[in-house]
Amino acid sequence: MSGFKTCGSSNLDTSLLGVESIAREEQSVPASPILKECVASSVQSTPEIEKKYVHRVYDAIAPHFSSTRFAKWPKVATFLNSLAPGSLILDAGCGNGKYLGLTPDSVFIGCDISAPLVGICADRGNEVVVADAVNLPYRSGYGDAAISIAVLHHLSTEIRRKKAIDELVRVVKRGGLVLITVWAVEQEDKTLLNKWTPLTDKYVDEWIGPGSPRTRSSSPFSLGSSSSFTLESIPEAEENGLKEKLNKFRDSSSAVKGSENGLVASEGQDHFMDFEAGEEGESHQEYFVPWHLPYHRAEVSGASVGAVASGLAKKDDKKGAIVYNRYYHVFSQGELERLVSGMKNAVVVDRFYDKSNWCIILRRTE
Amino acid sequence: MKLLTHNMLSSNIKGVTNGFPLGIEAEKVIERSVDMNPDFLKNMFSKIEWKPLVEASRIMGYSDLPEDVPDSSVLDSEEFLRKFHHALLEIHLEEGALVCPQTGRKFPVNKGIPNMLLHEDEV
């Protein structure tokens, strides 16, 4: 149905195969030799930055995080409601499970890498597994649909983000839908950005490696200088600039809706680049985003004492909270489309921006 | 863990080519009643690997499923749907382990939650 490229075949049975096919793929891209090194270290082994600034943090803040995570995002509900009654829905990276059971005529199985969060889901009577979304321990084609809500932005390299998408497509049946949402660089509330800490070059080099992801972002387009594609910042004063961008995005989004001729992603990207290339100043995509764990909550979690002692978290007496940093790779406009643009076994059926998130819906085709 | 989940889980240890179905070591099995959802059962029927479901049910102490893969006409039988429903959704492995069929590696199941995370040298 479309010309999307393969990246981890649909009947991927072993993890080794996945690495090989991705490695092959990367070699066709003009990229630095460092990239191969990065691939060789296995896409499925968790980088230190994710262990320390994602897994350990969520494990430590799980009860407090969960108590703040109850608002259900209408776009996710709309997606789930659109599925046939009696569907099996797989939620990869389910967190505290707020979407599990949202549609009572469907059956849900959730998974998350954080055992404390999975425990919270199970206590609420949900069916859950502790598992890694980059390497799902599921046989292929079992689910009718899959969702990945606010998960991919915690993966620190592009090949891991791609692999997680391959996994979502692999575990749904042919014709099954996959909804993916990620935090956008283009935050509606720009004051948030001031509260985030852009990762310094030191972190990017030490933790993420020069092969990814900032340097990687530009390579598929071979635009020459990498800064020409790294998402440029939107000046705080130019509210209209963002609106204009989003309107343009909506136009192009509605234009491609329903057309699954395989040209969707490439056309969209060309279009986005037109108005991204001209702006000045570089914005970041790699951030530490703070989580404030109030002292009265921290007492419940013994992990916090150790976290402060080891330097993972800091005490902020003014706010009366222990501050954890969570690693985020926030997505630029068109980035999700680019990640899926070569998939042979899936097509884009919708994509949109909503409440500071980029979202994409894929359909498995084979 | 429901047998619905067991019928999906597969060992993804590096080098394992056939990680399905996982063996079951049952220490504690519980039953929890769930409302029957015929749409779901009819939808899942074609996707279920029948033999592994029958075997898993037996290990969990339930032997009422037909041994051989039934014809889809059984979906018209209320009695069959009830058994299928019970096996798939109402029997839970609460404590025990899931065993990789190729390597024998055990994945623990505690408080009903399978932990499928791999060690560094398994990915």
Side-chain angles (χ1 to χ4, degrees):
Chain A
M1 215 142 135
S2 88
F4 291 111
K5 70 174 186 277
T6 185
C7 179
S9 64
S10 58
N11 47 7
L12 184 76
D13 278 323
T14 73
S15 49
L16 276 173
L17 274 175
V19 175
E20 278 162 16
S21 78
I22 288 165
R24 257 199 310 283
E25 157 110 4
E26 297 296 346
Q27 281 159 11
S28 67
V29 165
S32 69
I34 297 152
L35 188 63
K36 283 179 200 162
E37 218 171 275
C38 174
V39 170
S41 75
S42 175
V43 59
Q44 285 142 356
S45 50
T46 309
E48 281 303 311
I49 191 167
E50 292 174 36
K51 284 186 198 162
K52 190 170 174 190
Y53 293 103
V54 181
H55 306 171
R56 277 173 64 187
V57 172
Y58 279 106
D59 285 355
I61 68 175
H64 180 240
F65 174 80
S66 178
S67 73
T68 65
R69 288 297 178 277
F70 45 83
K72 291 171 188 79
W73 197 34
K75 293 280 185 184
V76 179
T78 304
F79 174 80
L80 295 175
N81 279 311
S82 75
L83 303 170
S87 291
L88 175 64
I89 299 161
L90 307 176
D91 185 347
C94 64
N96 70 335
K98 68 177 178 176
Y99 294 111
L100 303 177
L102 191 67
T103 45
D105 57 8
S106 297
V107 174
F108 291 75
I109 301 175
C111 80
D112 203 282
I113 205 160
S114 167
L117 284 173
V118 168
I120 289 168
C121 298
D123 288 345
R124 295 171 176 173
N126 295 304
E127 181 71 1
V128 271
V129 177
V130 180
D132 186 348
V134 177
N135 190 18
L136 289 171
Y138 301 173
R139 65 182 173 94
S140 301
Y142 196 66
D144 295 295
I147 59 174
S148 166
I149 309 301
V151 177
L152 259 54
H153 52 226
H154 284 313
L155 301 175
S156 63
T157 68
E158 183 159 305
I159 52 170
R160 286 172 59 73
R161 296 189 281 271
K162 255 186 181 166
K163 178 64 164 50
I165 297 174
D166 286 341
E167 286 289 81
L168 290 162
V169 170
R170 180 183 68 80
V171 299
V172 298
K173 65 180 183 185
R174 188 184 306 170
L177 296 179
V178 173
L179 169 66
I180 299 168
T181 80
V182 292
W183 280 20
V185 174
E186 301 83 353
Q187 289 290 307
E188 283 174 0
D189 176 4
K190 288 188 201 61
T191 60
L192 274 178
L193 286 161
N194 300 329
K195 295 172 184 165
W196 300 353
T197 314
L199 259 62
T200 60
D201 290 345
K202 173 177 165 288
Y203 270 113
V204 174
D205 290 344
E206 279 182 18
W207 291 101
I208 304 176
S212 64
R214 286 169 68 192
T215 39
R216 283 285 296 119
S217 304
S218 57
S219 54
F221 292 93
S222 311
L223 291 181
S225 121
S226 66
S227 63
S228 59
F229 186 72
T230 306
L231 191 87
E232 311 299 340
S233 71
I234 302 150
E236 305 265 329
E238 286 182 28
E239 278 282 342
N240 292 336
L242 177 60
K243 277 185 195 140
E244 200 183 320
K245 273 188 177 186
L246 297 179
N247 285 336
K248 279 189 185 181
F249 177 72
R250 269 185 219 113
D251 291 347
S252 72
S253 176
S254 58
V256 298
K257 246 179 237 175
S259 109
E260 293 180 13
N261 55 11
L263 297 171
V264 175
S266 56
E267 282 179 355
Q269 280 159 2
D270 290 346
H271 185 60
F272 300 149
M273 281 163 56
D274 288 345
F275 53 85
E276 277 172 13
E279 299 190 20
E280 285 174 27
E282 188 191 356
S283 94
H284 296 270
Q285 285 189 260
E286 313 305 318
Y287 283 100
F288 279 149
V289 176
W291 183 270
H292 293 92
L293 184 64
Y295 285 158
H296 67 275
R297 302 288 314 212
E299 287 161 17
V300 205
S301 167
S304 293
V305 180
V308 171
S310 69
L312 180 65
K314 287 194 171 68
K315 291 175 84 171
D316 182 338
D317 284 330
K318 234 193 213 161
K319 288 189 171 142
I322 291 173
V323 187
Y324 284 87
N325 277 319
R326 288 172 297 161
Y327 165 78
Y328 276 77
H329 165 87
V330 287
F331 279 63
S332 59
Q333 189 168 31
E335 187 172 344
L336 275 175
E337 288 86 335
R338 184 166 55 75
L339 284 184
V340 304
S341 65
M343 291 181 78
K344 232 182 194 167
N345 59 347
V347 290
V348 177
V349 295
D350 199 4
R351 54 203 182 128
F352 48 94
Y353 173 92
D354 194 51
K355 298 193 194 311
S356 304
N357 285 265
W358 292 112
C359 313
I360 198 162
I361 297 175
L362 307 174
R363 177 186 295 132
R364 177 168 172 180
T365 52
E366 58 182 65
Chain B
M1 183 201 67
K2 299 173 197 270
L3 295 188
L4 169 73
T5 304
H6 174 260
N7 212 271
M8 169 180 76
L9 291 178
S10 181
S11 165
N12 56 356
I13 297 170
K14 179 179 172 181
V16 168
T17 49
N18 198 359
F20 180 87
L22 295 165
I24 297 177
E25 288 184 359
E27 284 168 28
K28 186 179 173 194
V29 175
I30 60 169
E31 288 188 12
R32 235 180 263 147
S33 77
V34 179
D35 289 343
M36 194 154 104
N37 180 343
D39 286 337
F40 176 70
L41 296 173
K42 287 169 186 169
N43 170 40
M44 285 311 292
F45 182 74
S46 61
K47 296 196 279 187
I48 290 294
E49 289 286 344
W50 192 257
K51 293 273 181 191
L53 177 65
V54 172
E55 181 60 17
S57 301
R58 191 182 294 117
I59 293 168
M60 306 275 274
Y62 183 70
S63 311
D64 287 0
L65 288 179
E67 195 71 29
D68 295 315
V69 188
D71 185 89
S72 63
S73 62
V74 291
L75 292 172
D76 296 330
S77 154
E78 173 77 19
E79 190 196 350
F80 172 79
L81 284 184
R82 260 205 319 276
K83 290 175 179 173
F84 186 38
H85 166 77
H86 182 69
L88 215 51
L89 299 168
E90 295 189 318
I91 309 172
H92 294 253
L93 180 63
E94 190 68 2
E95 298 291 333
L98 300 174
V99 186
C100 171
Q102 204 169 311
T103 64
R105 147 78 138 101
K106 289 181 187 174
F107 297 95
V109 178
N110 299 120
K111 294 183 178 172
I113 305 168
N115 187 330
M116 299 299 296
L117 291 184
L118 301 177
H119 304 132
E120 288 280 309
D121 57 353
E122 292 174 326
V123 293

mmCIF file of all heavy atoms in Angstrom, chain A residues 244-254 271-272 275 333-334 337 351-353 358-359:
data_model
loop_
_atom_site.group_PDB
_atom_site.id
_atom_site.type_symbol
_atom_site.label_atom_id
_atom_site.label_comp_id
_atom_site.label_asym_id
_atom_site.label_seq_id
_atom_site.Cartn_x
_atom_site.Cartn_y
_atom_site.Cartn_z
ATOM 1 N N GLU A 244 1.078 30.157 13.491
ATOM 2 C CA GLU A 244 1.162 30.036 12.047
ATOM 3 C C GLU A 244 1.684 28.652 11.661
ATOM 4 O O GLU A 244 1.150 27.983 10.785
ATOM 5 C CB GLU A 244 2.104 31.119 11.526
ATOM 6 C CG GLU A 244 1.920 31.409 10.055
ATOM 7 C CD GLU A 244 2.939 32.447 9.616
ATOM 8 O OE1 GLU A 244 3.171 33.396 10.395
ATOM 9 O OE2 GLU A 244 3.514 32.266 8.541
ATOM 10 N N LYS A 245 2.716 28.248 12.393
ATOM 11 C CA LYS A 245 3.288 26.933 12.130
ATOM 12 C C LYS A 245 2.248 25.847 12.312
ATOM 13 O O LYS A 245 2.113 24.952 11.497
ATOM 14 C CB LYS A 245 4.418 26.637 13.118
ATOM 15 C CG LYS A 245 5.747 27.137 12.699
ATOM 16 C CD LYS A 245 6.760 26.599 13.682
ATOM 17 C CE LYS A 245 8.147 27.020 13.266
ATOM 18 N NZ LYS A 245 9.143 26.398 14.132
ATOM 19 N N LEU A 246 1.518 25.967 13.414
ATOM 20 C CA LEU A 246 0.556 24.916 13.705
ATOM 21 C C LEU A 246 -0.560 24.921 12.683
ATOM 22 O O LEU A 246 -1.052 23.881 12.280
ATOM 23 C CB LEU A 246 -0.006 25.086 15.115
ATOM 24 C CG LEU A 246 1.070 24.942 16.188
ATOM 25 C CD1 LEU A 246 0.466 25.151 17.553
ATOM 26 C CD2 LEU A 246 1.713 23.573 16.099
ATOM 27 N N ASN A 247 -0.963 26.116 12.249
ATOM 28 C CA ASN A 247 -1.999 26.177 11.228
ATOM 29 C C ASN A 247 -1.517 25.511 9.949
ATOM 30 O O ASN A 247 -2.236 24.752 9.321
ATOM 31 C CB ASN A 247 -2.408 27.625 10.949
ATOM 32 C CG ASN A 247 -3.267 28.159 12.071
ATOM 33 O OD1 ASN A 247 -3.893 27.381 12.785
ATOM 34 N ND2 ASN A 247 -3.274 29.458 12.255
ATOM 35 N N LYS A 248 -0.275 25.821 9.613
ATOM 36 C CA LYS A 248 0.276 25.198 8.413
ATOM 37 C C LYS A 248 0.274 23.695 8.573
ATOM 38 O O LYS A 248 -0.028 22.967 7.659
ATOM 39 C CB LYS A 248 1.719 25.670 8.181
ATOM 40 C CG LYS A 248 1.801 27.025 7.516
ATOM 41 C CD LYS A 248 3.246 27.283 7.128
ATOM 42 C CE LYS A 248 3.402 28.684 6.575
ATOM 43 N NZ LYS A 248 4.800 28.923 6.165
ATOM 44 N N PHE A 249 0.638 23.278 9.816
ATOM 45 C CA PHE A 249 0.692 21.843 10.042
ATOM 46 C C PHE A 249 -0.692 21.240 9.882
ATOM 47 O O PHE A 249 -0.877 20.217 9.258
ATOM 48 C CB PHE A 249 1.229 21.534 11.446
ATOM 49 C CG PHE A 249 1.229 20.073 11.738
ATOM 50 C CD1 PHE A 249 2.140 19.249 11.127
ATOM 51 C CD2 PHE A 249 0.274 19.522 12.580
ATOM 52 C CE1 PHE A 249 2.134 17.884 11.361
ATOM 53 C CE2 PHE A 249 0.256 18.167 12.810
ATOM 54 C CZ PHE A 249 1.195 17.354 12.203
ATOM 55 N N ARG A 250 -1.676 21.937 10.440
ATOM 56 C CA ARG A 250 -3.035 21.407 10.348
ATOM 57 C C ARG A 250 -3.472 21.301 8.892
ATOM 58 O O ARG A 250 -4.069 20.332 8.479
ATOM 59 C CB ARG A 250 -4.008 22.305 11.111
ATOM 60 C CG ARG A 250 -4.171 21.866 12.538
ATOM 61 C CD ARG A 250 -5.213 22.688 13.251
ATOM 62 N NE ARG A 250 -4.764 22.940 14.593
ATOM 63 C CZ ARG A 250 -4.440 24.121 15.068
ATOM 64 N NH1 ARG A 250 -4.537 25.198 14.285
ATOM 65 N NH2 ARG A 250 -4.016 24.261 16.282
ATOM 66 N N ASP A 251 -3.132 22.329 8.117
ATOM 67 C CA ASP A 251 -3.502 22.296 6.698
ATOM 68 C C ASP A 251 -2.930 21.056 6.041
ATOM 69 O O ASP A 251 -3.621 20.308 5.385
ATOM 70 C CB ASP A 251 -2.965 23.541 5.972
ATOM 71 C CG ASP A 251 -3.699 24.790 6.432
ATOM 72 O OD1 ASP A 251 -4.746 24.620 7.100
ATOM 73 O OD2 ASP A 251 -3.234 25.897 6.137
ATOM 74 N N SER A 252 -1.624 20.885 6.280
ATOM 75 C CA SER A 252 -0.992 19.772 5.584
ATOM 76 C C SER A 252 -1.524 18.464 6.146
ATOM 77 O O SER A 252 -1.682 17.484 5.446
ATOM 78 C CB SER A 252 0.529 19.836 5.721
ATOM 79 O OG SER A 252 0.899 19.514 7.038
ATOM 80 N N SER A 253 -1.851 18.489 7.456
ATOM 81 C CA SER A 253 -2.368 17.280 8.077
ATOM 82 C C SER A 253 -3.706 16.890 7.475
ATOM 83 O O SER A 253 -3.933 15.754 7.115
ATOM 84 C CB SER A 253 -2.514 17.503 9.577
ATOM 85 O OG SER A 253 -3.082 16.388 10.176
ATOM 86 N N SER A 254 -4.587 17.875 7.323
ATOM 87 C CA SER A 254 -5.904 17.533 6.803
ATOM 88 C C SER A 254 -5.809 17.162 5.331
ATOM 89 O O SER A 254 -6.574 16.352 4.830
ATOM 90 C CB SER A 254 -6.889 18.688 7.007
ATOM 91 O OG SER A 254 -6.396 19.837 6.370
ATOM 92 N N HIS A 271 7.523 20.161 3.496
ATOM 93 C CA HIS A 271 6.736 21.327 3.826
ATOM 94 C C HIS A 271 7.206 21.953 5.141
ATOM 95 O O HIS A 271 7.426 23.140 5.234
ATOM 96 C CB HIS A 271 5.276 20.903 3.919
ATOM 97 C CG HIS A 271 4.336 22.054 4.133
ATOM 98 N ND1 HIS A 271 4.230 23.077 3.241
ATOM 99 C CD2 HIS A 271 3.498 22.310 5.143
ATOM 100 C CE1 HIS A 271 3.333 23.942 3.701
ATOM 101 N NE2 HIS A 271 2.879 23.500 4.840
ATOM 102 N N PHE A 272 7.403 21.075 6.156
ATOM 103 C CA PHE A 272 7.816 21.610 7.452
ATOM 104 C C PHE A 272 9.149 22.332 7.340
ATOM 105 O O PHE A 272 9.373 23.345 7.937
ATOM 106 C CB PHE A 272 7.976 20.483 8.476
ATOM 107 C CG PHE A 272 6.724 19.708 8.698
ATOM 108 C CD1 PHE A 272 6.778 18.368 9.024
ATOM 109 C CD2 PHE A 272 5.485 20.311 8.558
ATOM 110 C CE1 PHE A 272 5.613 17.651 9.228
ATOM 111 C CE2 PHE A 272 4.321 19.595 8.765
ATOM 112 C CZ PHE A 272 4.393 18.256 9.091
ATOM 113 N N PHE A 275 9.595 26.138 6.540
ATOM 114 C CA PHE A 275 9.511 27.245 7.487
ATOM 115 C C PHE A 275 10.343 27.018 8.736
ATOM 116 O O PHE A 275 10.382 27.836 9.619
ATOM 117 C CB PHE A 275 8.059 27.598 7.834
ATOM 118 C CG PHE A 275 7.237 26.452 8.311
ATOM 119 C CD1 PHE A 275 7.246 26.085 9.632
ATOM 120 C CD2 PHE A 275 6.440 25.749 7.419
ATOM 121 C CE1 PHE A 275 6.496 25.030 10.071
ATOM 122 C CE2 PHE A 275 5.683 24.689 7.859
ATOM 123 C CZ PHE A 275 5.705 24.328 9.176
ATOM 124 N N GLN A 333 8.857 19.081 15.209
ATOM 125 C CA GLN A 333 7.785 18.913 14.240
ATOM 126 C C GLN A 333 8.253 18.004 13.095
ATOM 127 O O GLN A 333 9.344 18.189 12.563
ATOM 128 C CB GLN A 333 7.445 20.283 13.684
ATOM 129 C CG GLN A 333 6.207 20.306 12.828
ATOM 130 C CD GLN A 333 5.773 21.729 12.555
ATOM 131 O OE1 GLN A 333 6.598 22.625 12.481
ATOM 132 N NE2 GLN A 333 4.486 21.940 12.406
ATOM 133 N N GLY A 334 7.447 17.028 12.736
ATOM 134 C CA GLY A 334 7.812 16.150 11.627
ATOM 135 C C GLY A 334 8.723 15.000 12.020
ATOM 136 O O GLY A 334 8.993 14.118 11.205
ATOM 137 N N GLU A 337 7.028 11.502 11.972
ATOM 138 C CA GLU A 337 6.808 11.100 10.583
ATOM 139 C C GLU A 337 8.107 10.591 9.978
ATOM 140 O O GLU A 337 8.136 9.617 9.243
ATOM 141 C CB GLU A 337 6.301 12.280 9.746
ATOM 142 C CG GLU A 337 4.870 12.686 10.030
ATOM 143 C CD GLU A 337 4.763 13.665 11.183
ATOM 144 O OE1 GLU A 337 5.669 13.694 12.057
ATOM 145 O OE2 GLU A 337 3.777 14.417 11.222
ATOM 146 N N ARG A 351 -2.108 12.204 11.915
ATOM 147 C CA ARG A 351 -1.074 12.809 12.763
ATOM 148 C C ARG A 351 -1.579 14.182 13.155
ATOM 149 O O ARG A 351 -2.281 14.843 12.386
ATOM 150 C CB ARG A 351 0.253 12.895 12.028
ATOM 151 C CG ARG A 351 0.107 13.608 10.711
ATOM 152 C CD ARG A 351 1.214 13.226 9.746
ATOM 153 N NE ARG A 351 0.987 13.999 8.540
ATOM 154 C CZ ARG A 351 1.903 14.745 7.947
ATOM 155 N NH1 ARG A 351 3.120 14.819 8.423
ATOM 156 N NH2 ARG A 351 1.610 15.423 6.869
ATOM 157 N N PHE A 352 -1.240 14.591 14.343
ATOM 158 C CA PHE A 352 -1.740 15.876 14.809
ATOM 159 C C PHE A 352 -0.910 16.368 15.982
ATOM 160 O O PHE A 352 -0.112 15.628 16.564
ATOM 161 C CB PHE A 352 -3.217 15.776 15.207
ATOM 162 C CG PHE A 352 -3.565 14.608 16.092
ATOM 163 C CD1 PHE A 352 -3.590 14.750 17.474
ATOM 164 C CD2 PHE A 352 -3.854 13.368 15.545
ATOM 165 C CE1 PHE A 352 -3.905 13.673 18.295
ATOM 166 C CE2 PHE A 352 -4.163 12.281 16.359
ATOM 167 C CZ PHE A 352 -4.196 12.438 17.737
ATOM 168 N N TYR A 353 -1.114 17.648 16.259
ATOM 169 C CA TYR A 353 -0.492 18.276 17.418
ATOM 170 C C TYR A 353 -1.623 18.586 18.366
ATOM 171 O O TYR A 353 -2.662 19.095 17.971
ATOM 172 C CB TYR A 353 0.200 19.571 16.982
ATOM 173 C CG TYR A 353 0.739 20.414 18.124
ATOM 174 C CD1 TYR A 353 2.054 20.257 18.557
ATOM 175 C CD2 TYR A 353 -0.062 21.365 18.747
ATOM 176 C CE1 TYR A 353 2.551 21.038 19.598
ATOM 177 C CE2 TYR A 353 0.431 22.149 19.789
ATOM 178 C CZ TYR A 353 1.741 21.976 20.205
ATOM 179 O OH TYR A 353 2.235 22.733 21.229
ATOM 180 N N TRP A 358 3.132 15.864 20.003
ATOM 181 C CA TRP A 358 2.998 15.384 18.630
ATOM 182 C C TRP A 358 2.437 13.982 18.700
ATOM 183 O O TRP A 358 2.834 13.186 19.564
ATOM 184 C CB TRP A 358 4.351 15.364 17.907
ATOM 185 C CG TRP A 358 4.906 16.729 17.659
ATOM 186 C CD1 TRP A 358 6.003 17.287 18.227
ATOM 187 C CD2 TRP A 358 4.363 17.713 16.762
ATOM 188 N NE1 TRP A 358 6.186 18.555 17.737
ATOM 189 C CE2 TRP A 358 5.203 18.848 16.849
ATOM 190 C CE3 TRP A 358 3.254 17.745 15.908
ATOM 191 C CZ2 TRP A 358 4.960 20.013 16.100
ATOM 192 C CZ3 TRP A 358 3.022 18.896 15.176
ATOM 193 C CH2 TRP A 358 3.863 20.008 15.269
ATOM 194 N N CYS A 359 1.517 13.679 17.782
ATOM 195 C CA CYS A 359 0.824 12.396 17.829
ATOM 196 C C CYS A 359 0.764 11.812 16.430
ATOM 197 O O CYS A 359 0.666 12.556 15.452
ATOM 198 C CB CYS A 359 -0.612 12.559 18.321
ATOM 199 S SG CYS A 359 -0.729 13.597 19.790
#
